Amino acid sequence: MAGADGVEKLEDGIVRSAEQVAAQIRAAKDAISTVIFGQDRVIENTLVTILSGGHALLIGVPGLAKTKLVETLGITLGLDAKRIQFTPDLMPSDILGAEVLDESSAGKRSFRFISGPVFAQLLMADEINRASRAPSPRCCRRCRNSTSRWPARATICRSRSTCWRRKIRWSRKAPTRSRRRSSTAS
């Protein structure tokens, strides 16, 4: 009989914990919904993505609050959220960070590593299809692993991050300029 009471108490504790987590998730969803309107399904899917430790690709036309959603998730959940704007001139050091030479007031010089946005817990890789081929794989590799390599050292990240990649949806009906060559008859 004593063993059965212990199992019932354990089950009750698990049920209470699950109910508390469900209440916290509902509270987070409600808090996010006060900033992001009309995107309930997207908010639910993003919360599932974060809870499962996965990554997401947000695709859509401009103005659907994709970047604002990631910012709001970071604020609401208390996560370190960063954003990388992918442009054709993006360098790998813009993602990973860089070592800088510091000089103290006594004149002593030393190198200090300034970590880039890829070391955040929540990363928004914005307009990832605009970048050159070099930085994109580094960003995606970092999102899969919890370790990033820097020359002569491996940097262990605080926790595995969730990466939100956003692609630009190009309009297929973009206006095109037709340049006609005018020929003049002499």
Side-chain angles (χ1 to χ4, degrees):
M1 284 286 195
D5 289 338
V7 171
E8 288 177 17
K9 289 180 183 178
L10 179 63
E11 288 175 356
D12 290 341
I14 292 171
V15 169
R16 273 194 302 279
S17 295
E19 288 172 349
Q20 288 174 348
V21 169
Q24 291 172 341
I25 292 170
R26 276 192 299 276
K29 183 182 171 199
D30 292 341
I32 295 167
S33 295
T34 60
V35 178
I36 309 294
F37 303 108
Q39 301 275 349
D40 293 332
R41 186 169 176 211
V42 174
I43 294 170
E44 286 176 15
N45 289 339
T46 56
L47 288 171
V48 167
T49 301
I50 290 174
L51 291 171
S52 65
H55 307 293
L57 176 62
L58 303 174
I59 301 176
V61 297
L64 293 180
K66 294 175 288 294
T67 303
K68 188 68 172 173
L69 173 65
V70 176
E71 289 174 13
T72 306
L73 282 167
I75 293 168
T76 304
L77 301 176
L79 299 174
D80 179 27
K82 301 282 184 184
R83 177 176 174 266
I84 302 172
Q85 176 70 40
F86 278 77
T87 58
D89 63 343
L90 185 71
M91 300 296 291
S93 61
D94 296 332
I95 297 172
L96 294 173
E99 282 197 70
V100 296
L101 182 63
D102 274 346
E103 187 170 350
S104 68
S105 58
K108 183 182 177 206
R109 294 181 179 177
S110 63
F111 283 101
R112 180 174 54 99
F113 179 69
I114 299 175
S115 61
V118 78
F119 292 100
Q121 295 168 317
L122 197 59
L123 176 66
M124 173 68 165
D126 207 357
E127 299 178 0
I128 199 163
N129 57 336
R130 287 182 60 199
S132 64
R133 293 179 186 230
S136 298
R138 283 188 178 95
C139 181
C140 296
R141 190 172 28 244
R142 164 57 185 94
C143 289
R144 280 195 312 270
N145 305 325
S146 60
T147 305
S148 288
R149 295 233 173 253
W150 188 255
R153 87 169 70 136
T155 306
I156 306 298
C157 302
R158 287 179 285 162
S159 66
R160 188 178 176 117
S161 66
T162 301
C163 182
W164 301 91
R165 291 175 282 193
R166 185 175 80 85
K167 289 174 78 174
I168 303 170
R169 176 161 286 176
W170 300 102
S171 173
R172 292 191 176 102
K173 297 180 181 179
T176 58
R177 294 184 186 179
S178 61
R179 296 183 182 186
R180 294 187 182 177
R181 195 173 189 182
S182 60
S183 59
T184 54
S186 328

